Amino acid sequence: MTQHDFQEITRTAHALAEAARGVVLPYFRSAGLSAENKLSEGFDPVTAADKAAEQVMRSVLAEKRPDDAIIGEEFGVRAGRSGLTWVLDPIDGTRGFLAGTPTWGVLISVCDAGGPIFGMIDQPYVGERFWGGFGTAEMTGPMGDSSLRVRGSRVLSEAILFTTFPEVGTMAERAGFEAVAQHVKLTRFGMDCYAYALLAAGQIDLVIEAGLSNYDICAPIALIEAAGGIVTDWKGGKAHDGGRVLAAAGEEQHKAALDILSRFS
């Protein structure tokens, strides 16, 4: 992968994010916004905004990167022949989107045979965009542009821990999360993909989740790793296929949390 290739991927990702913003924002906090439920039991919502955002991103890729494959949450797989795959989650945090909270985001990533190499988290409503790959991590927002760097190692008792759902996953997975939460300084819930952006930006220490899909985590992995952080599963292995995920701002927090979570894996 050359510097030119990286620049082209970055430009294309920004084009996707801009296109998604244009179609998503008119739906956010709009009167009468509704959702379909993708599950016969439970609640996994999808809105017209999810579908419109993925469709417009696929249209941009068809024009700019026709040889690349695509995996999208709403419209599945498009085969490619370049060896690169764009993994798209048009609205990560649809529950938050429906509730009017600005914790949702558009996830855009590029993977090769080894996993994620570039990731972007875009929050259109607050105007923040975080992206990283190839050792570089940056953001732009209302406060201007800046590079991103995780907080670095610190003891677990000083750590800030985030997750999305209080129940986390299965009863065993919830028990694992709660076992870590007993040792940290602060725990917060309901953050969706924005938690991973905050970790890359040096604001928090840990994100622990379970039951994720590849389109939920590929973008955060590339972003956090480019900012100097660590993302693994609960056994310390690769996490880009989803499942149980532990993201950490430093080796000390990661090891301490992993020692606890591994007992629940």
Side-chain angles (χ1 to χ4, degrees):
M1 184 70 64
T2 67
Q3 183 65 23
H4 174 77
D5 293 330
F6 172 58
Q7 291 172 347
E8 177 59 27
I9 286 171
T10 304
R11 283 193 295 267
T12 302
H14 281 286
L16 296 184
E18 289 297 322
R21 279 189 182 191
V23 299
V24 166
L25 280 176
Y27 288 98
F28 186 54
R29 298 183 180 173
S30 63
L33 177 66
S34 62
E36 302 171 30
N37 187 3
K38 293 190 279 188
L39 299 179
S40 57
E41 296 182 7
F43 184 54
D44 185 13
V46 58
T47 69
D50 295 80
K51 294 178 180 180
E54 185 168 325
Q55 286 173 330
V56 75
M57 288 192 288
R58 285 174 175 267
S59 294
V60 173
L61 288 173
E63 177 186 346
K64 294 182 176 294
R65 305 282 303 189
D67 292 335
D68 296 346
I70 302 173
I71 297 173
E73 179 177 9
E74 307 305 335
F75 296 104
V77 177
R78 184 193 80 181
R81 53 180 180 269
S82 68
L84 297 178
T85 300
W86 292 79
V87 183
L88 309 175
D89 190 344
I91 299 179
D92 180 85
T94 302
R95 293 170 181 84
F97 187 87
L98 285 168
T101 64
T103 56
W104 54 277
V106 179
L107 300 186
I108 299 164
S109 61
V110 179
C111 300
D112 63 12
I117 59 174
F118 176 90
M120 177 177 285
I121 300 175
D122 188 55
Q123 211 309 305
Y125 186 72
V126 300
E128 289 184 321
R129 183 175 299 165
F130 309 80
W131 67 95
F134 306 95
T136 298
E138 301 178 68
M139 72 164 291
T140 186
M143 302 296 289
D145 302 341
S146 64
S147 59
L148 298 175
R149 192 69 186 172
V150 296
R151 299 179 87 174
S153 288
R154 64 180 62 207
V155 296
L156 193 60
S157 61
E158 290 297 313
I160 299 173
L161 167 64
F162 277 24
T163 194
T164 297
F165 306 115
E167 63 270 23
V168 182
T170 65
M171 292 299 292
E173 289 164 342
R174 180 173 183 173
F177 173 84
E178 290 178 346
V180 177
Q182 291 174 6
H183 296 278
V184 303
K185 180 170 66 175
L186 175 65
T187 302
R188 302 291 290 169
F189 298 94
M191 298 303 294
D192 299 305
C193 62
Y194 199 64
Y196 296 103
L198 291 176
L199 195 150
Q203 296 295 308
I204 69 172
D205 297 273
L206 295 167
V207 182
I208 297 174
E209 299 199 282
L212 300 186
S213 297
N214 54 355
Y215 47 75
D216 295 313
I217 196 59
C218 282
I221 288 173
L223 172 64
I224 289 169
E225 290 182 346
I230 304 165
V231 186
T232 68
D233 64 15
W234 289 17
K235 294 183 178 180
K238 290 185 176 182
H240 59 263
D241 289 329
R244 299 167 171 175
V245 171
L246 167 63
E251 291 185 3
E252 189 166 358
Q253 303 97 307
H254 182 262
K255 182 180 185 304
L258 195 64
D259 286 346
I260 297 170
L261 292 173
S262 63
R263 302 199 296 265
F264 297 85
S265 299

